[in-house]
Amino acid sequence: MPEDHVAARVKLEREVRGWSTVKLAEEMAAVGHPINQSAIWRIESGKPRRRVNLDEALGFCKVFDLTMQDLTGPPGELATPRIRQLVHEYVQMTLEYRQLRAAIDRNQMHLREIDVELNAYGDKGPEQRGQVDELLRLEERRNLHPSRAHLRNQNQPPVGE
Protein backbone atom coordinates (compact mmCIF):
# COMPACT_ATOMS: atom_id res chain seq x y z
CA MET A 1 0.00 0.00 0.00
CA PRO A 2 2.79 2.55 0.57
CA GLU A 3 3.45 2.56 -3.21
CA ASP A 4 -0.17 3.58 -3.79
CA HIS A 5 0.10 6.23 -1.09
CA VAL A 6 3.25 7.64 -2.68
CA ALA A 7 1.57 7.79 -6.08
CA ALA A 8 -1.49 9.52 -4.66
CA ARG A 9 0.64 11.93 -2.59
CA VAL A 10 2.84 12.87 -5.57
CA LYS A 11 -0.24 13.62 -7.67
CA LEU A 12 -1.91 15.55 -4.82
CA GLU A 13 1.17 17.66 -4.06
CA ARG A 14 1.81 18.37 -7.74
CA GLU A 15 -1.80 19.43 -8.33
CA VAL A 16 -1.94 21.60 -5.20
CA ARG A 17 0.96 23.59 -6.61
CA GLY A 18 -0.62 23.75 -10.06
CA TRP A 19 2.40 21.98 -11.57
CA SER A 20 2.43 19.86 -14.67
CA THR A 21 4.40 16.62 -14.72
CA VAL A 22 7.02 18.53 -16.73
CA LYS A 23 7.31 21.19 -14.01
CA LEU A 24 7.65 18.51 -11.33
CA ALA A 25 10.38 16.81 -13.36
CA GLU A 26 12.20 20.17 -13.56
CA GLU A 27 11.88 20.69 -9.79
CA MET A 28 13.17 17.16 -9.14
CA ALA A 29 16.21 17.79 -11.35
CA ALA A 30 16.84 21.09 -9.57
CA VAL A 31 17.16 19.29 -6.22
CA GLY A 32 19.46 16.62 -7.67
CA HIS A 33 16.95 13.81 -8.23
CA PRO A 34 16.25 13.79 -11.97
CA ILE A 35 13.22 11.95 -13.27
CA ASN A 36 11.41 12.44 -16.57
CA GLN A 37 7.81 13.58 -16.84
CA SER A 38 6.60 10.33 -18.36
CA ALA A 39 7.96 8.45 -15.32
CA ILE A 40 6.00 10.81 -13.07
CA TRP A 41 2.86 10.16 -15.08
CA ARG A 42 3.43 6.37 -14.83
CA ILE A 43 3.93 6.71 -11.05
CA GLU A 44 0.68 8.65 -10.69
CA SER A 45 -1.56 6.97 -13.27
CA GLY A 46 0.16 4.08 -14.98
CA LYS A 47 -1.40 0.65 -15.41
CA PRO A 48 0.55 -1.02 -13.99
CA ARG A 49 1.79 1.73 -11.73
CA ARG A 50 5.53 2.46 -11.89
CA ARG A 51 7.34 1.89 -8.60
CA VAL A 52 9.23 4.73 -6.92
CA ASN A 53 12.87 4.09 -6.03
CA LEU A 54 14.49 5.50 -2.89
CA ASP A 55 16.33 8.29 -4.75
CA GLU A 56 13.06 9.46 -6.29
CA ALA A 57 11.25 9.26 -2.94
CA LEU A 58 13.94 11.45 -1.36
CA GLY A 59 13.57 13.88 -4.25
CA PHE A 60 9.80 14.08 -3.81
CA CYS A 61 10.30 14.73 -0.10
CA LYS A 62 12.68 17.61 -0.88
CA VAL A 63 10.55 19.13 -3.62
CA PHE A 64 7.32 18.93 -1.63
CA ASP A 65 8.93 19.60 1.76
CA LEU A 66 7.53 16.37 3.20
CA THR A 67 8.89 13.74 5.54
CA MET A 68 9.21 10.20 4.23
CA GLN A 69 6.38 9.26 6.59
CA ASP A 70 4.12 11.91 5.04
CA LEU A 71 5.08 10.78 1.52
CA THR A 72 4.30 7.13 2.21
CA GLY A 73 1.27 7.66 4.46
CA PRO A 74 -2.33 7.93 3.31
CA PRO A 75 -2.66 11.31 1.56
CA GLY A 76 -6.12 12.00 2.97
CA GLU A 77 -4.67 12.42 6.44
CA LEU A 78 -3.25 15.84 5.66
CA ALA A 79 -6.47 17.63 4.64
CA THR A 80 -7.69 18.60 1.20
CA PRO A 81 -5.43 20.09 -1.47
CA ARG A 82 -7.10 23.51 -1.00
CA ILE A 83 -6.49 23.50 2.77
CA ARG A 84 -2.86 22.46 2.24
CA GLN A 85 -2.47 25.28 -0.30
CA LEU A 86 -3.99 27.79 2.12
CA VAL A 87 -1.71 26.62 4.93
CA HIS A 88 1.31 26.97 2.63
CA GLU A 89 0.24 30.50 1.61
CA TYR A 90 -0.41 31.44 5.23
CA VAL A 91 3.05 30.35 6.32
CA GLN A 92 4.73 32.14 3.39
CA MET A 93 2.79 35.35 4.01
CA THR A 94 3.51 35.20 7.75
CA LEU A 95 7.24 34.95 7.03
CA GLU A 96 7.00 37.85 4.59
CA TYR A 97 5.05 39.90 7.13
CA ARG A 98 7.70 39.29 9.81
CA GLN A 99 10.46 40.39 7.44
CA LEU A 100 8.55 43.53 6.49
CA ARG A 101 7.71 44.27 10.14
CA ALA A 102 11.39 43.99 11.08
CA ALA A 103 12.32 46.36 8.25
CA ILE A 104 9.65 48.83 9.37
CA ASP A 105 10.87 48.64 12.96
CA ARG A 106 14.48 49.30 11.85
CA ASN A 107 13.30 52.21 9.72
CA GLN A 108 11.26 53.68 12.57
CA MET A 109 14.20 53.43 14.98
CA HIS A 110 16.46 55.18 12.50
CA LEU A 111 13.86 57.91 11.96
CA ARG A 112 13.74 58.50 15.73
CA GLU A 113 17.53 58.81 15.85
CA ILE A 114 17.47 61.34 13.02
CA ASP A 115 14.63 63.23 14.71
CA VAL A 116 16.65 63.50 17.93
CA GLU A 117 19.63 64.92 16.05
CA LEU A 118 17.52 67.37 14.05
CA ASN A 119 15.74 68.54 17.19
CA ALA A 120 19.06 68.98 19.00
CA TYR A 121 20.28 71.15 16.15
CA GLY A 122 17.00 73.09 16.04
CA ASP A 123 17.12 73.65 19.82
CA LYS A 124 20.27 75.77 19.40
CA GLY A 125 18.17 78.67 18.26
CA PRO A 126 15.41 79.99 16.01
CA GLU A 127 17.77 80.29 13.03
CA GLN A 128 18.76 76.63 13.26
CA ARG A 129 15.11 75.57 13.75
CA GLY A 130 14.18 77.58 10.67
CA GLN A 131 16.95 75.90 8.67
CA VAL A 132 15.75 72.44 9.65
CA ASP A 133 12.11 73.27 8.91
CA GLU A 134 12.95 74.83 5.55
CA LEU A 135 15.14 71.89 4.53
CA LEU A 136 12.38 69.47 5.49
CA ARG A 137 9.84 71.41 3.42
CA LEU A 138 12.18 71.36 0.42
CA GLU A 139 12.85 67.64 0.74
CA GLU A 140 9.17 66.83 1.20
CA ARG A 141 8.32 68.78 -1.94
CA ARG A 142 10.83 66.66 -3.84
CA ASN A 143 9.27 63.56 -2.29
CA LEU A 144 12.63 62.32 -1.14
CA HIS A 145 11.94 61.94 2.58
CA PRO A 146 8.80 61.51 4.67
CA SER A 147 7.72 64.12 7.15
CA ARG A 148 9.06 63.88 10.69
CA ALA A 149 5.62 64.88 11.92
CA HIS A 150 4.52 61.24 12.11
CA LEU A 151 7.02 60.73 14.93
CA ARG A 152 5.12 63.28 16.95
CA ASN A 153 1.73 61.73 16.07
CA GLN A 154 1.87 58.46 18.02
CA ASN A 155 4.23 56.81 15.54
CA GLN A 156 1.72 56.94 12.68
CA PRO A 157 3.32 56.76 9.23
CA PRO A 158 3.27 59.84 7.02
CA VAL A 159 0.23 60.30 4.80
CA GLY A 160 0.57 58.35 1.56
CA GLU A 161 2.55 55.41 3.01
Side-chain angles (χ1 to χ4, degrees):
M1 283 316 219
E3 287 286 335
D4 291 335
H5 294 168
V6 170
R9 176 57 53 117
V10 168
K11 186 173 185 174
L12 173 91
E13 296 293 334
R14 180 181 61 75
E15 289 176 345
V16 163
R17 290 163 177 77
W19 292 353
S20 66
T21 54
V22 172
K23 172 69 173 163
L24 177 53
E26 291 169 356
E27 294 294 323
M28 290 285 285
V31 298
H33 299 273
I35 184 173
N36 65 46
Q37 73 75 212
S38 64
I40 294 169
W41 183 87
R42 287 192 320 270
I43 289 167
E44 292 179 0
S45 309
K47 304 263 190 246
R49 186 181 314 279
R50 181 186 175 282
R51 296 187 68 132
V52 175
N53 67 41
L54 181 58
D55 186 61
E56 293 164 346
L58 291 171
F60 289 130
C61 288
K62 284 182 188 176
V63 166
F64 297 135
D65 193 26
L66 296 172
T67 66
M68 189 64 74
Q69 183 176 356
D70 288 340
L71 181 68
T72 60
E77 290 181 3
L78 289 178
T80 66
R82 176 66 180 151
I83 296 302
R84 289 184 49 81
Q85 178 186 15
L86 290 172
V87 166
H88 176 75
E89 288 178 28
Y90 181 86
V91 169
Q92 293 302 114
M93 292 182 81
T94 299
L95 291 172
E96 184 179 337
Y97 171 80
R98 288 180 184 152
Q99 292 170 344
L100 291 170
R101 183 76 247 167
I104 289 168
D105 291 345
R106 284 190 304 274
N107 180 282
Q108 193 172 41
M109 185 171 32
H110 189 65
L111 283 171
R112 284 189 193 116
E113 292 167 357
I114 291 170
D115 192 54
V116 166
E117 262 190 83
L118 290 175
N119 283 332
Y121 181 78
D123 289 346
K124 292 180 181 179
E127 184 178 328
Q128 287 83 354
R129 173 62 57 203
Q131 289 172 350
V132 169
D133 291 344
E134 182 59 26
L135 286 170
L136 285 170
R137 277 191 292 277
L138 289 170
E139 289 295 324
E140 286 172 347
R141 273 190 231 130
R142 287 190 228 148
N143 258 343
L144 295 177
H145 298 288
S147 169
R148 291 183 321 133
H150 74 280
L151 293 173
R152 295 184 190 99
N153 295 329
Q154 300 171 335
N155 296 325
Q156 295 299 314
V159 175
E161 283 191 8

